[in-house]
Structure formats: C-alpha cells, structure tokens
Amino acid sequence: MPRRWVAALACLAALVALACEGGTSATPRPTKGTPQPGGPGSIAALGDSISTGFASCLVLTSCERNSWSTGDGLRVRSLYRRLLDQDPAIRDRTYNHARPGARADALEGQAKAAVRDRADYVTVLIGANDVCRGGVDAMTPVARFRADVDRGLRALRTGRPKARVLVVSIPDLYRLWEVGHGDSRAVRAWRRGVCPALLADATSTAPADRARRAAVRDRIDAYNAQLVAACRAYGSRCRHDGGAVYKVRFTLDLLNPLDWFHPNAGGQGRLAEVTWRASGLAD
C-alpha cells in the first residue's frame, strides 16, 4: 500500500475518534435535580379551596398566588415555582381550576377545563368538602366519591393521555380538631359553621360527639384509600403522593387566624414541600 494511503487512513481514524469523543462530552448524564427531556410545559390545579390558596392572604377568599400547586407569589415555593427553576419555558403557563366548596362531583368539569388548556401536569386535591358538607349523614358515600373521582380522571386520560397527574391525599382534618379544640379562638371560629360534621361542638366529650368525629376520621381514611386505587387504575401517568399530605402534622401556626381551618401561607408552603418530594419531579 502506498505510504500516502497509509497516512490518509491514519488521519481518517483520528478524525473518527475525535468525533466520537466530542459526541460523548456534549451529552453528559443527567444528575438528580436536572430537568429531564419532556418535562411539563404547563401545570393545572384541580380541586377545592385548599388549592386556591383560600384565606392565605388574611381574608376569607381565594388567593391563588399562594397556591401550593400553581401559585406564582414569593411567599410560597409552589410546584410551579419549583418547575420554573428547572425550566423557564413553563413561565406563566399555569391554570387553576380548583374552586372553594368543590366536591368530587366537580372534578370532571375541572378536568375538562384542564384538557382545553392542554395542561401537561395536573394536580388533584379533592375530598374535604365531601366530608364537610354538613352532618355525618350528608357526607358523600364512599362509592359515589370513587365514581366521581374516576369520571374526573377519565376525562383527563381521554383528553390529555400524555399528561402526568399527581393525586394528593386529603389532609388529616381530625388532626385540626386535635390541635384546635383547646384553643378558644379556633373554637369560636368553628362555631360559625366550619366543617360542622367534624368541628361542631368542638369541646364536647359526649359519646355522640366523639362518635361523630370518629366517623369523619374513618370517612377520610376511606376516601384516601379510594384515591390510591383510582390513581392506580388510571395507569402509569398517574402518581399518588403516598399519603404525604395526610401525614403533615398541622399545627395552629400553619392555619389562618380567621377560620382556623385553611392553611395560611406557611401551611401552603408545607404542602408544596411534601408534594414536591412525593411528585418525582425532582428525581
């Protein structure tokens, strides 16, 4: 083989090797916390007053900038703000369809609104009002609650099959009674009709009142079990928080001082913290 051919082949081999090395260094392995390809480009919140940030601005109305899910205010490091830190492309692409007083039967309509928004990531926190709608007899039956949740999730899966869904456990409302029934400020506020199935006659030790509170606690447990099952039935695009929100040990300093029921900005921040860890978005 002529000497000039040998030299040309050697040069070609060197160029191929250099190109391969360059290709490897240009695509480093992602590390924990690094945004992955295909991350959500938008986020929507479905549910009730908790996801609207209700009463977190010191008035008894929604304050969406403090929402644990989609809030864009500086007082709460919401899921949206954490996603924004990962990828600026999500800026201003938030949709909050949660509504104060909403029960599980409102979830389908909210889900359809999220589909119209073409939401990529959807949080679902629902159930407190199915418990707190009146007395124990007025609570939504467990089977109906499950059917309502399934309809809402079905609307998401049909309309946005590639969207990721985070189903969040209902907070431990019984815990609120435990920490608040000895506080005169909370008891006075609850007398105005805050979650009467649980909080009416908050200081009573009568057997009927103890039984009523136990029934509420058991119903929340039953709802939470159905939320786990509904998310599992949805498929791989749905993730449950593993009871992270239910396990939050709320104290009075995480509640607003008007109804002593809804989270204040600190409480919303706590919800954001535990749901972020449970979401898998930071993995």
Side-chain angles (χ1 to χ4, degrees):
M1 180 182 293
R3 188 174 301 174
R4 64 178 180 276
W5 288 14
V6 173
L9 288 173
C11 182
L12 180 61
L15 288 173
V16 170
L18 181 61
C20 291
E21 290 174 4
T24 301
S25 61
T27 54
R29 290 182 179 179
T31 58
K32 188 175 181 179
T34 300
Q36 302 297 307
S42 58
I43 179 172
L46 312 184
D48 54 33
S49 55
I50 297 177
S51 294
T52 72
F54 188 90
S56 63
C57 291
L58 299 181
V59 291
L60 288 175
T61 189
S62 296
C63 184
E64 292 184 5
R65 68 175 179 270
N66 287 340
S67 168
W68 65 272
S69 174
T70 60
D72 60 359
L74 298 179
R75 298 181 66 193
V76 176
R77 193 159 179 255
S78 66
L79 298 194
Y80 162 68
R81 287 192 57 210
R82 293 167 191 259
L83 289 169
L84 184 62
D85 288 343
Q86 288 187 345
D87 186 356
I90 199 175
R91 184 177 299 278
D92 298 328
R93 300 198 63 196
T94 63
Y95 310 96
N96 196 318
H97 297 296
R99 294 294 180 266
R103 299 192 292 268
D105 61 4
L107 198 58
E108 182 180 17
Q110 295 180 8
K112 289 179 178 179
V115 168
R116 290 192 294 272
D117 293 330
R118 304 176 65 83
D120 294 327
Y121 193 83
V122 181
T123 66
V124 178
L125 173 51
I126 198 75
N129 291 306
D130 291 272
V131 170
C132 292
R133 61 189 299 181
V136 168
D137 292 340
M139 292 190 298
T140 304
V142 175
R144 185 184 303 168
F145 176 80
R146 172 62 186 277
D148 290 338
V149 171
D150 281 343
R151 277 193 296 273
L153 293 182
R154 191 179 306 119
L156 282 176
R157 187 175 57 199
T158 301
R160 294 293 288 167
K162 294 184 179 180
R164 283 180 279 177
V165 179
L166 176 67
V167 172
V168 177
S169 53
I170 303 165
D172 184 0
L173 302 183
Y174 189 83
R175 164 77 178 173
L176 300 185
W177 174 81
E178 287 182 319
V179 302
H181 74 278
D183 188 288
S184 60
R185 300 166 301 171
V187 172
R188 281 196 302 271
W190 295 345
R191 286 176 184 153
R192 295 194 288 267
V194 178
C195 195
L198 175 66
L199 301 175
D201 300 314
T203 59
S204 173
T205 58
D209 291 317
R210 292 201 302 268
R212 169 173 52 83
R213 296 179 201 120
V216 170
R217 179 184 57 200
D218 293 344
R219 185 60 58 91
I220 292 171
D221 289 344
Y223 287 169
N224 274 330
Q226 292 304 317
L227 289 170
V228 172
C231 187
R232 184 181 300 120
Y234 185 98
S236 61
R237 305 298 288 185
C238 184
R239 184 173 182 131
H240 186 262
D241 76 343
V245 165
Y246 179 81
K247 295 172 186 175
V248 171
R249 304 295 288 170
F250 271 99
T251 52
L252 292 181
D253 64 330
L254 295 177
L255 305 176
N256 79 79
L258 295 176
D259 66 6
W260 298 99
F261 184 79
H262 289 91
N264 58 20
Q268 289 283 340
R270 180 67 177 142
L271 294 178
E273 179 184 347
V274 300
T275 52
W276 178 254
R277 289 203 302 261
S279 70
L281 291 169
D283 294 345

